[in-house]
Amino acid sequence: MRDLGVGFGYLLKGQRWVARHGRSYGFGLLPGLITLVLYAAALTALALWGADAVGWATPFADGWPSPWLGLFRGFLTAVLFALGLLLAVVTFTAVTLLIGQPFYDSLSEQVDRDVSPDGTAPESGLPLWRELWISARDSLRVLVRAALWAVLLFALGFLPFVGQTVVPVIGFFVTGFFLTEELAAVALQRRDVDLRARLGLLRSRKALVWGFGTPLGLAFLVPFVAVLLMPGAVAGATLLARDLLGEETEPNGSTGDTGTGDDGDAAPADGRPAPAHGHTTGTPDTEPAPGARSHPRP
């Protein structure tokens, strides 16, 4: 339960960080605005022509008597729109990060430098085109996983009572997990932590991930909120990534107290001491990832 609160705390700390860095926040709104316009157009088209699509896909019900035909197709139309909304929430982050990759990577580096005791931040050392390719490839893999979950939840939605109560709750937790993966990937890719290792890290601290990603997924359902929260979400996910890797975090940085330990040393939320150096899938506290470069705080 404590991990849930810690995860939510990182979400708030990320928003506070961008509030103190107004110029970074302003530039961070642009990729989200572009993505929002694209998704709004797609969801509007789904709302307008979703019923026609359901009618085309269910010709076997054409002869059903009233009111069963209307109820059946109306229910499927609502479920189709809900599925589209779920996929929009899950993929919004990936598309926005891809559009704004250079900016968000720079923002994440600023957060690392700000809270690192030695004022350094790891860099991948890869050219921009290579970073974009890796990001797009990993996002596609995550999207496939998220789509499989969406199909499963769509099918379970037909179960009486459970489909209208338990399944939506599970859907938000699944959404929160994949949102966190996409956001934390900005910081973890710079540390040469590949997708499989990232997923392993997130699964090892599910409560922490849910505390960060599930409230964010709920907030993203409100128009324009996703755009406003996106820069802070990247900043907060960078702090969360440091926690996952057991990296030391300076308690007096501009993000405020990280809440990871009374003495200022970063410690996992389950009370275990932070590793003195490195992580099995991450990097040492004060050294960049293999092949990465660190730059001091300006």
Side-chain angles (χ1 to χ4, degrees), residues 36 98 130 172 174 233 259:
L36 180 64
L98 189 61
R130 179 66 177 170
F172 281 117
V174 171

mmCIF file with all atom_site columns, all heavy atoms in Angstrom, residues 36 98 130 172 174 233 259:
data_model
loop_
_atom_site.group_PDB
_atom_site.id
_atom_site.type_symbol
_atom_site.label_atom_id
_atom_site.label_alt_id
_atom_site.label_comp_id
_atom_site.label_asym_id
_atom_site.label_entity_id
_atom_site.label_seq_id
_atom_site.pdbx_PDB_ins_code
_atom_site.Cartn_x
_atom_site.Cartn_y
_atom_site.Cartn_z
_atom_site.occupancy
_atom_site.B_iso_or_equiv
_atom_site.pdbx_formal_charge
_atom_site.auth_seq_id
_atom_site.auth_comp_id
_atom_site.auth_asym_id
_atom_site.auth_atom_id
_atom_site.pdbx_PDB_model_num
ATOM 1  N N   . LEU A 1 36  ? -3.519  15.456 -29.482 1.00 0.00 ? 36  LEU A N   1
ATOM 2  C CA  . LEU A 1 36  ? -4.907  15.596 -29.052 1.00 0.00 ? 36  LEU A CA  1
ATOM 3  C C   . LEU A 1 36  ? -5.830  15.874 -30.234 1.00 0.00 ? 36  LEU A C   1
ATOM 4  O O   . LEU A 1 36  ? -6.921  15.305 -30.337 1.00 0.00 ? 36  LEU A O   1
ATOM 5  C CB  . LEU A 1 36  ? -5.027  16.717 -28.029 1.00 0.00 ? 36  LEU A CB  1
ATOM 6  C CG  . LEU A 1 36  ? -6.436  16.990 -27.490 1.00 0.00 ? 36  LEU A CG  1
ATOM 7  C CD1 . LEU A 1 36  ? -6.956  15.780 -26.714 1.00 0.00 ? 36  LEU A CD1 1
ATOM 8  C CD2 . LEU A 1 36  ? -6.449  18.236 -26.613 1.00 0.00 ? 36  LEU A CD2 1
ATOM 9  N N   . LEU A 1 98  ? 6.617   10.074 -29.122 1.00 0.00 ? 98  LEU A N   1
ATOM 10 C CA  . LEU A 1 98  ? 7.303   9.934  -30.400 1.00 0.00 ? 98  LEU A CA  1
ATOM 11 C C   . LEU A 1 98  ? 7.394   11.279 -31.112 1.00 0.00 ? 98  LEU A C   1
ATOM 12 O O   . LEU A 1 98  ? 8.442   11.640 -31.657 1.00 0.00 ? 98  LEU A O   1
ATOM 13 C CB  . LEU A 1 98  ? 6.562   8.920  -31.275 1.00 0.00 ? 98  LEU A CB  1
ATOM 14 C CG  . LEU A 1 98  ? 7.250   8.491  -32.574 1.00 0.00 ? 98  LEU A CG  1
ATOM 15 C CD1 . LEU A 1 98  ? 8.596   7.830  -32.262 1.00 0.00 ? 98  LEU A CD1 1
ATOM 16 C CD2 . LEU A 1 98  ? 6.365   7.554  -33.376 1.00 0.00 ? 98  LEU A CD2 1
ATOM 17 N N   . ARG A 1 130 ? 18.299  7.012  -34.509 1.00 0.00 ? 130 ARG A N   1
ATOM 18 C CA  . ARG A 1 130 ? 18.350  5.708  -33.864 1.00 0.00 ? 130 ARG A CA  1
ATOM 19 C C   . ARG A 1 130 ? 17.457  5.678  -32.624 1.00 0.00 ? 130 ARG A C   1
ATOM 20 O O   . ARG A 1 130 ? 16.759  4.688  -32.367 1.00 0.00 ? 130 ARG A O   1
ATOM 21 C CB  . ARG A 1 130 ? 19.797  5.395  -33.479 1.00 0.00 ? 130 ARG A CB  1
ATOM 22 C CG  . ARG A 1 130 ? 19.998  4.056  -32.773 1.00 0.00 ? 130 ARG A CG  1
ATOM 23 C CD  . ARG A 1 130 ? 19.698  2.891  -33.687 1.00 0.00 ? 130 ARG A CD  1
ATOM 24 N NE  . ARG A 1 130 ? 19.966  1.619  -33.016 1.00 0.00 ? 130 ARG A NE  1
ATOM 25 C CZ  . ARG A 1 130 ? 19.606  0.436  -33.502 1.00 0.00 ? 130 ARG A CZ  1
ATOM 26 N NH1 . ARG A 1 130 ? 18.973  0.380  -34.667 1.00 0.00 ? 130 ARG A NH1 1
ATOM 27 N NH2 . ARG A 1 130 ? 19.882  -0.660 -32.846 1.00 0.00 ? 130 ARG A NH2 1
ATOM 28 N N   . PHE A 1 172 ? -8.450  0.058  -16.023 1.00 0.00 ? 172 PHE A N   1
ATOM 29 C CA  . PHE A 1 172 ? -7.713  1.244  -15.628 1.00 0.00 ? 172 PHE A CA  1
ATOM 30 C C   . PHE A 1 172 ? -6.341  0.890  -15.047 1.00 0.00 ? 172 PHE A C   1
ATOM 31 O O   . PHE A 1 172 ? -5.365  1.609  -15.260 1.00 0.00 ? 172 PHE A O   1
ATOM 32 C CB  . PHE A 1 172 ? -8.521  2.063  -14.614 1.00 0.00 ? 172 PHE A CB  1
ATOM 33 C CG  . PHE A 1 172 ? -9.591  2.893  -15.253 1.00 0.00 ? 172 PHE A CG  1
ATOM 34 C CD1 . PHE A 1 172 ? -10.933 2.679  -14.972 1.00 0.00 ? 172 PHE A CD1 1
ATOM 35 C CD2 . PHE A 1 172 ? -9.263  3.900  -16.155 1.00 0.00 ? 172 PHE A CD2 1
ATOM 36 C CE1 . PHE A 1 172 ? -11.917 3.445  -15.571 1.00 0.00 ? 172 PHE A CE1 1
ATOM 37 C CE2 . PHE A 1 172 ? -10.241 4.678  -16.753 1.00 0.00 ? 172 PHE A CE2 1
ATOM 38 C CZ  . PHE A 1 172 ? -11.579 4.444  -16.461 1.00 0.00 ? 172 PHE A CZ  1
ATOM 39 N N   . VAL A 1 174 ? -4.581  -1.765 -15.931 1.00 0.00 ? 174 VAL A N   1
ATOM 40 C CA  . VAL A 1 174 ? -3.780  -2.148 -17.095 1.00 0.00 ? 174 VAL A CA  1
ATOM 41 C C   . VAL A 1 174 ? -3.306  -0.896 -17.834 1.00 0.00 ? 174 VAL A C   1
ATOM 42 O O   . VAL A 1 174 ? -2.138  -0.792 -18.232 1.00 0.00 ? 174 VAL A O   1
ATOM 43 C CB  . VAL A 1 174 ? -4.596  -3.060 -18.033 1.00 0.00 ? 174 VAL A CB  1
ATOM 44 C CG1 . VAL A 1 174 ? -3.858  -3.285 -19.350 1.00 0.00 ? 174 VAL A CG1 1
ATOM 45 C CG2 . VAL A 1 174 ? -4.885  -4.398 -17.360 1.00 0.00 ? 174 VAL A CG2 1
ATOM 46 N N   . ALA A 1 233 ? 4.316   14.549 -16.258 1.00 0.00 ? 233 ALA A N   1
ATOM 47 C CA  . ALA A 1 233 ? 4.307   13.088 -16.189 1.00 0.00 ? 233 ALA A CA  1
ATOM 48 C C   . ALA A 1 233 ? 5.664   12.521 -16.588 1.00 0.00 ? 233 ALA A C   1
ATOM 49 O O   . ALA A 1 233 ? 6.147   11.550 -15.990 1.00 0.00 ? 233 ALA A O   1
ATOM 50 C CB  . ALA A 1 233 ? 3.206   12.528 -17.095 1.00 0.00 ? 233 ALA A CB  1
ATOM 51 N N   . GLY A 1 259 ? 10.726  11.756 -0.868  1.00 0.00 ? 259 GLY A N   1
ATOM 52 C CA  . GLY A 1 259 ? 9.924   10.885 -0.043  1.00 0.00 ? 259 GLY A CA  1
ATOM 53 C C   . GLY A 1 259 ? 10.422  9.469  -0.007  1.00 0.00 ? 259 GLY A C   1
ATOM 54 O O   . GLY A 1 259 ? 9.676   8.562  0.336   1.00 0.00 ? 259 GLY A O   1
#
